[in-house]
Amino acid sequence: MSPTTITVTLPELAKMIDHSLLHPTMTDEDIRAGLAIAKRYGVATACVKPYLVPWVYKELEGSGVLVCPVIGFPHGNSTTGIKIAEAEEAARCGGKEVDMVINIGKALSGDWQYVESEIRQINEAVVQHGAILKVIFENDYLQDSHIEHLCKLCTHLGVAFVKTSSGYGFVKQSNGMYNYKGATVSHLKLMRAASGSNVQVKAAGGVRTLDDLLHVRSLGVTRIGATATATILDEAKRRGIGETPVAVTFNPMADGGSGGY
């Protein structure tokens, strides 16, 4: 694919990023360092595990960076009641954007009534507490028909975002190894086309460079999950992206590569 040009500002790019602090081995010091990055670059949110929400809310207070807890993460297999309770507590403690994982097995089973009921109840719970909901599909496990159906369902329910992946949806390959693709160009195009104009699209996994970020933005993606926040935004500065709109050329990302934050 040939290089493409897009007009952006640095604050616009920063507010596309949910800075991901989700790895299970992260210590308190790791989280503190990650929050410092989130504040320094003025990203949209710090995406954290539920137990961290009260502390992170205090750490980010006044920074303009919101708290984004994850619910039923990463495999989506908790009961609906537990997911609702987890989401309500996270929102009460300061979570303003809540990322939940669907029950993937139920989607693959075609039990759309279960999937719809669960998303509806969690969406209602977080909205009542002043938060918004992002719904994680885990596209690596799904067929295009599942993804399209989920986008239409989420549009009907009025959720804020549909999201490609958790970052931990590893699929066993024929050679016994596990990997995942995360956000792919074809899936992002499908999600944007199948979702209503009131639903935003979040790409998670595989968006690791400034060119990747600019490409998904050109596809209509408004948020990404990333750990490479500093690398991406420092590169933006080096390429002359600042406070005022500027046209910048990017090389499109290859479709179907390996995922990873």
Side-chain angles (χ1 to χ4, degrees), residues 23-101:
H23 197 278
T25 64
M26 294 190 85
T27 64
D28 291 352
E29 190 56 38
D30 294 331
I31 299 297
R32 190 173 288 109
L35 295 178
I37 291 172
K39 289 187 284 188
R40 184 184 316 134
Y41 290 90
V43 299
T45 79
C47 200
V48 300
K49 292 164 280 191
Y51 78 92
L52 288 165
V53 173
W55 174 43
V56 170
Y57 179 75
K58 292 179 181 178
E59 289 287 317
L60 293 178
E61 197 167 15
S63 69
V65 179
L66 301 179
V67 184
C68 176
V70 292
I71 301 302
F73 194 87
H75 296 133
N77 292 326
S78 302
T79 65
T80 297
I82 292 297
K83 285 183 176 178
I84 293 169
E86 190 175 34
E88 287 180 331
E89 181 177 353
R92 281 198 304 267
C93 292
K96 294 301 182 184
E97 299 189 2
V98 174
D99 288 20
M100 67 153 283
V101 185

